[in-house]
Amino acid sequence: MPIFAEINAPFDEEEVTNVNTEDLPILTLRNMVLFPGVAMPVLIGRKKTLRLVKDAQRKRMPIGVACQIDADVEDPTVDDLYSIGVVAEVIKVLEMPDDTTTVILQGKRRMALGKQTADEPYMRASVEMLKDTAPRTNDKEYEALMLSIKELMIKMLRTVGDSGKEMAFAVNNIDNGTYLTNFVCCNSPIEASEKQTLLDVGSVKKRAFKLFEILSREAQLIDIKADIQSKTREGINQQQREHFLQQQIRTIQEELGGDGVEQEIQELRDRGALKQWSEAVAQTFEKEVRKLERLHPQTPDYSVQYTYLDNLLNLPWGDMSVDHFDLKDARRVLEEDHYGLDKVKERILEHLAVVKLTDLSHAPILCLYGPPGVGKTSLGKSIARALNRQYIRISLGGLHDEAEIRGHRRTYIGAMPGRIMQGIAKAKTSNPVFVLDEIDKIGKDFKGDPSSALLEVLDPEQNATFHDNYVDIDYDLSNVFFIATANDLSTISRPLLDRMELIDISGYILEEKIEIARQHLIPKQLTAHGLDKESIDIPKKTIAAIIDQYTRESGVRLLDKMIAKLMRKVALKKAEGVAYDPVIEVEALREYLGVPTNIADVYEGNDYAGVVTGLAWTAVGGEILFVESSLSKGKGEKLTLTGNLGDVMKESAVIALQYIKAHADILGLADDVFDKWNVHIHVPEGAIPKDGPSAGITMATSLASVFTQRKVRARVAMTGEITLRGKVLPVGGIKEKILAAKRSGMKEIILSEDNRKDIEEINEVYLKGLKFHYVKTIKDVWDIALTNQKVPNAIKVN
């Protein structure tokens, strides 16, 4: 705090004596301006200045004091000083405990600097003494001005705190107008350049007016700041508090290592220099970085632009993992992870062989389709392990926004890259194994059609220049090994299907499920439940019983759950210390798993007319279904259909009845028999919707059996579509239907002749124990399926 002379002590500019105006020592100040009559402490740092003040004190000689124009100049000359200064006396030199020196200067009279006369041992220059013009005696305007200056200065000092109270007291007790003006000029919280402007004014009254103008401005700023602080204090919240803390952290970081923003931008450039991207991408990146440099760090656009560049750098431009070309080892890995699935494994090995021989082949795009639980998704992990590639999986089930695939435009708030580019960034390589799970369950609404967006991703001719709306730069996806999984191909658009190589992964037969359980499921559940091999032993026959009695599926997901349930029961017994037999026999399954639930797929015999076993395909695999027909007396023909049938299935029943009417002679029926009986066709499990044409020959055989009262051959199942001409057409899902027939104990299967090619493609192990009959017409079906034996208690229809 400035030290001032005795309050109200008048000073006379004429009292200054011994001033050598031709060669006066000059003391230079930084950011400080001394006024006549005012005492001010100055911290001495330069050696020349220290020598000057000591000589002045010893010789009791006056000195010139002037302020530097540029405070950074270390060894100033007269040209580096303001032209107007003050002649002063050294009142006292204080040696501080911290080895610093403070000198107290008393301003006496204004002066104008002339030429510099010496530089050593300190600056000396010629000066011209200046005389201030004092205000007139009894000048009321000046007196009012002094009161106003005093009030403003005291008001400003009170906002400083305790340090300002002492000076406010001093200001309040100054009665000399000229001294008050100079004192306030010296101690006001304003820039040194403005203080110098006040010193340049020779009239004390004009100086006071200019001082009042500056104080009024500063007082208004203080009021505005106080108002803002008051409002801010009322509405401040946690977010603002965090913002202030972040600003403090930023300031500290700048003090420690420079500008944090510049460091961030330099880090982006350093990361970009390591990328293996093309020249065009590098130019785009540099352009976006320059755009970031032009943005203010506090604006929202800065954060958006920085996030975009960070996402751009997270993509693995040109970074590839090295494929594992040891085909024997790859085959071993695939065999370890999955039992069966020979067609898929062979396709993977073919791809590896082609890449090994050419080094130029694009990665294939496979679509694994089949019922749930057969290992489609987990097969992707095995492929990645066999190829030594990164594994990425995204679920497309329920996806209905096209932007999830292509990304959002950067103009939107919260924009981000699409799921494809996010997966690539996560993999950190440009050639991962990328599983698109549940591709058949993609939705479609007003936000776009994601399946159409996938056309570019899954097209080997286009995905080399895949365009994500957020990244806005073409990215090469041709090296990505895409594997799509689906349960039902009918819901996938035809253009999308054409771009993928379809591989059917059907269900497993009993023997395969037993091996999968022994090699994979049981060891996994042992680990999951904290058990060891000595704790539990599940023989093959027990596994077969679990499959037959408790699971109804093409895959092994429910089997895995049943094994887990059994393990939990055993874990509970072991934890409680209850004795139990570690070998789980078939008889013990009811204790562990409860009452068997799988009874619907069991063959029910052929003791009733009109009951025929058909084969159906569902999303969970193949199933057998029973078509039941009955007759009731009535006038006029009437056909009743029940069992929650779809339109196509109802049409099949109508066609079957019409064919029998048109060809009654084949079955030996009278022409008027249809006028005497009402027909009722029912398909059990009426709560489950059923549809499709594949039950056509089953319904025709059921009607033929009920009208003729002939038995249906035992353990015969059939599937095929029927036409009005009696022709049998091929149907799909043959492998799943064959597995369902084997599960239910069927021995013979009737199919369309055109389905023979489907049977030839199926592994022989699936066909073991089954006899196939290939037919062309419904008459061929009847010849095989209907016996000449009447059912017990047959009714007389003709």
Side-chain angles (χ1 to χ4, degrees):
M1 183 184 71
I3 299 174
F4 43 90
E6 183 183 351
I7 304 303
N8 298 330
F11 60 93
D12 187 357
E13 294 178 335
E14 298 299 334
E15 289 181 357
V16 184
T17 57
N18 302 324
V19 178
N20 185 358
T21 57
E22 299 298 327
D23 189 33
L24 184 67
I26 305 298
L27 186 149
T28 58
L29 301 177
R30 302 187 195 199
N31 298 318
M32 300 175 72
V33 178
L34 183 63
F35 282 78
V38 181
M40 182 176 70
V42 177
L43 182 65
I44 302 300
R46 290 181 280 213
K47 293 182 179 180
K48 287 184 179 182
T49 308
L50 183 60
R51 184 168 182 177
L52 168 61
V53 296
K54 288 184 176 180
D55 286 352
Q57 184 188 35
R58 188 178 67 255
K59 298 177 182 180
R60 297 184 177 276
M61 64 179 181
I63 61 173
V65 178
C67 180
Q68 292 182 204
I69 300 173
D70 183 359
D72 294 331
V73 177
E74 189 61 33
D75 191 12
T77 64
V78 170
D79 296 333
D80 296 316
L81 306 178
Y82 286 106
S83 59
I84 303 297
V86 175
V87 174
E89 288 185 0
V90 176
I91 303 299
K92 198 168 189 179
V93 177
L94 304 174
E95 300 287 346
M96 298 298 181
D98 58 354
D99 294 333
T100 59
T101 302
T102 299
V103 59
I104 299 177
L105 302 176
Q106 172 82 50
K108 291 297 183 179
R109 184 172 174 177
R110 290 192 315 127
M111 69 175 185
L113 284 172
K115 287 185 178 183
Q116 182 171 334
T117 58
D119 183 52
E120 294 295 340
Y122 34 76
M123 185 193 305
R124 305 175 76 92
S126 61
V127 299
E128 178 186 353
M129 303 297 287
L130 302 177
K131 184 175 178 64
D132 286 349
T133 304
R136 297 193 309 271
T137 305
N138 298 326
D139 188 337
K140 299 299 182 184
E141 183 181 39
Y142 182 70
E143 292 177 1
L145 183 59
M146 287 299 99
L147 290 175
S148 299
I149 289 175
K150 186 179 292 189
E151 289 176 0
L152 281 175
M153 188 62 179
I154 292 173
K155 176 182 177 181
M156 292 170 62
L157 289 172
R158 283 174 178 169
T159 63
V160 178
D162 293 338
S163 61
K165 290 181 180 179
E166 183 179 349
M167 187 176 290
F169 177 79
V171 170
N172 191 46
N173 287 278
I174 297 175
D175 293 331
N176 187 303
T178 302
Y179 180 70
L180 176 64
T181 301
N182 290 343
F183 182 85
V184 173
C185 285
C186 188
N187 293 284
S188 297
I190 58 177
E191 296 291 334
S193 57
E194 284 194 303
K195 291 182 179 180
Q196 184 65 43
T197 304
L198 292 170
L199 183 62
D200 292 345
V201 178
S203 169
V204 175
K205 185 176 181 180
K206 289 181 179 180
R207 186 184 301 161
F209 268 113
K210 190 167 185 62
L211 173 62
F212 179 72
E213 179 183 339
I214 293 174
L215 291 178
S216 299
R217 182 197 68 201
E218 293 298 320
Q220 288 177 2
L221 287 176
I222 290 174
D223 290 340
I224 294 172
K225 288 179 182 178
D227 186 47
I228 292 173
Q229 288 176 352
S230 175
K231 292 179 179 177
T232 305
R233 193 176 298 110
E234 292 173 1
I236 195 163
N237 53 29
Q238 183 63 29
Q239 183 178 358
Q240 290 169 311
R241 192 173 295 113
E242 289 177 358
H243 172 71
F244 293 145
L245 291 173
Q246 289 292 340
Q247 289 298 108
Q248 290 177 347
I249 291 172
R250 186 183 296 274
T251 303
I252 294 170
Q253 289 174 341
E254 290 177 1
E255 290 293 330
L256 292 175
D259 190 351
V261 175
E262 291 182 359
Q263 285 183 342
E264 286 180 348
I265 295 174
Q266 187 56 45
E267 286 175 4
L268 292 177
R269 282 201 166 96
D270 292 342
R271 290 169 60 190
L274 301 176
K275 289 294 177 181
Q276 302 178 27
W277 45 30
S278 65
E279 185 64 28
V281 179
Q283 290 177 0
T284 303
F285 173 76
E286 182 58 30
K287 176 183 175 184
E288 297 295 336
V289 171
R290 287 199 298 268
K291 186 186 297 184
L292 179 69
E293 289 177 321
R294 293 193 295 269
L295 295 173
H296 192 278
Q298 300 302 322
T299 61
D301 289 343
Y302 180 88
S303 177
V304 171
Q305 185 70 5
Y306 182 85
T307 303
Y308 168 72
L309 289 169
D310 188 54
N311 283 322
L312 209 61
L313 289 167
N314 286 336
L315 292 173
W317 299 87
D319 294 338
M320 302 276 189
S321 60
V322 179
D323 284 341
H324 183 55
F325 290 118
D326 188 339
L327 298 184
K328 291 183 179 180
D329 191 54
R331 188 186 296 274
R332 178 188 58 78
V333 170
L334 293 174
E335 293 292 346
E336 281 180 1
D337 292 351
H338 287 82
Y339 186 86
L341 307 178
D342 295 332
K343 189 184 296 185
V344 186
K345 295 174 182 176
E346 197 64 27
R347 181 64 186 86
I348 303 307
L349 294 173
E350 288 171 1
H351 166 67
L352 270 178
V354 172
V355 174
K356 183 176 182 180
L357 295 175
T358 63
D359 292 331
L360 297 174
S361 177
H362 289 305
I365 296 173
L366 307 182
C367 179
L368 311 179
Y369 70 96
V374 295
K376 299 184 299 296
T377 303
S378 61
L379 192 61
K381 284 187 178 180
S382 298
I383 293 172
R385 194 159 78 93
L387 296 175
N388 191 34
R389 293 191 181 187
Q390 293 295 317
Y391 169 76
I392 296 296
R393 185 192 73 88
I394 63 172
S395 178
L396 301 178
L399 195 71
H400 54 80
D401 189 353
E402 182 184 340
E404 291 286 339
I405 303 297
R406 291 187 181 274
H408 305 79
R409 298 283 182 188
R410 274 192 285 158
T411 52
Y412 296 112
I413 295 174
M416 63 178 65
R419 301 278 289 278
I420 302 297
M421 300 310 290
Q422 288 181 37
I424 296 295
K426 184 179 179 182
K428 292 184 172 56
T429 63
S430 292
N431 61 337
V433 172
F434 207 123
V435 175
L436 304 172
D437 217 2
E438 311 291 356
I439 198 171
D440 57 325
K441 298 176 180 62
I442 294 179
K444 180 180 179 181
D445 61 8
F446 65 94
K447 296 179 181 178
D449 183 4
S451 62
S452 298
L454 281 173
L455 294 177
E456 182 184 5
V457 177
L458 300 180
D459 191 340
E461 303 300 324
Q462 298 182 40
N463 63 11
T465 56
F466 173 68
H467 189 85
D468 184 276
N469 291 328
Y470 180 85
V471 176
D472 207 21
I473 302 173
D474 290 344
Y475 192 88
D476 186 3
L477 296 178
S478 62
N479 295 298
V480 179
F481 196 141
F482 284 106
I483 300 175
T485 70
N487 299 129
D488 185 5
L489 295 182
S490 63
T491 60
I492 304 176
S493 66
R494 181 58 53 185
L496 192 56
L497 276 178
D498 291 342
R499 284 162 167 78
M500 299 185 290
E501 185 176 342
L502 303 179
I503 297 179
D504 182 10
I505 303 183
S506 301
Y508 301 104
I509 60 175
L510 178 63
E511 292 78 8
E512 287 180 326
K513 289 184 178 181
I514 292 174
E515 290 303 316
I516 291 171
R518 290 180 64 250
Q519 297 179 24
H520 300 284
L521 303 183
I522 292 176
K524 181 184 75 172
Q525 294 299 343
L526 282 173
T527 303
H529 292 84
L531 301 173
D532 51 31
K533 293 181 180 180
E534 288 71 27
S535 301
I536 185 171
D537 179 22
I538 308 178
K540 283 188 177 182
K541 61 180 181 179
T542 305
I543 299 173
I546 295 173
I547 295 169
D548 287 335
Q549 300 176 22
Y550 294 92
T551 67
R552 185 182 182 184
E553 58 178 350
S554 294
V556 292
R557 188 168 290 155
L558 185 56
L559 175 59
D560 190 30
K561 292 179 181 178
M562 287 298 160
I563 292 174
K565 183 177 180 180
L566 195 153
M567 296 280 185
R568 289 197 299 272
K569 299 288 187 182
V570 172
L572 179 60
K573 289 178 179 292
K574 187 174 181 180
E576 291 180 339
V578 178
Y580 68 96
D581 186 355
V583 180
I584 309 299
E585 300 292 348
V586 175
E587 296 76 16
L589 287 180
R590 186 179 289 265
E591 176 190 350
Y592 288 102
L593 301 181
V595 179
T597 58
N598 186 21
I599 57 175
D601 272 0
V602 178
Y603 175 65
E604 296 182 354
N606 63 342
D607 292 335
Y608 298 92
V611 179
V612 182
T613 304
L615 297 175
W617 179 94
T618 69
V620 295
E623 291 184 0
I624 67 169
L625 55 81
F626 301 101
V627 176
E628 303 174 350
S629 298
S630 67
L631 300 177
S632 60
K633 287 189 176 182
K635 292 183 179 180
E637 62 177 85
K638 181 182 179 183
L639 175 63
T640 303
L641 302 172
T642 57
N644 201 352
L645 308 182
D647 291 338
V648 176
M649 207 165 184
K650 291 178 181 178
E651 291 169 358
S652 295
V654 174
I655 293 171
L657 182 58
Q658 291 300 321
Y659 180 81
I660 291 175
K661 285 182 179 180
H663 301 83
D665 56 322
I666 297 177
L667 297 172
L669 299 175
D671 293 337
D672 61 346
V673 69
F674 303 102
D675 297 329
K676 302 176 183 178
W677 299 91
N678 294 329
V679 182
H680 186 163
I681 299 177
H682 175 68
V683 182
E685 295 187 74
I688 301 174
K690 310 168 192 72
D691 201 5
S694 63
I697 65 172
T698 311
M699 290 180 169
T701 304
S702 175
L703 290 171
S705 173
V706 76
F707 274 113
T708 61
Q709 293 293 294
R710 292 158 64 183
K711 273 190 175 184
V712 179
R713 186 189 295 268
R715 298 195 179 279
V716 171
M718 60 188 71
T719 182
E721 184 179 354
I722 187 176
T723 70
L724 276 175
R725 294 174 294 160
K727 186 176 181 181
V728 179
L729 301 180
V731 291
I734 296 300
K735 186 176 180 182
E736 287 83 357
K737 292 175 179 178
I738 290 173
L739 293 176
K742 291 195 71 172
R743 286 199 305 267
S744 305
M746 297 292 109
K747 300 298 183 182
E748 301 177 57
I749 297 178
I750 300 174
L751 300 166
S752 168
E753 177 67 35
D754 293 331
N755 279 126
R756 185 187 294 269
K757 64 181 186 302
D758 299 312
I759 300 299
E760 292 173 352
E761 291 180 356
I762 297 175
N763 195 314
E764 187 68 28
V765 69
Y766 293 93
L767 310 179
K768 187 177 180 181
L770 292 175
K771 182 179 180 180
F772 293 92
H773 301 278
Y774 301 104
V775 298
K776 293 184 178 180
T777 66
I778 190 62
K779 184 178 180 303
D780 298 335
V781 177
W782 292 339
D783 291 342
I784 298 168
L786 297 178
T787 68
N788 293 323
Q789 184 181 1
K790 296 284 185 177
V791 298
N793 303 317
I795 62 174
K796 189 174 181 180
V797 178
N798 276 326

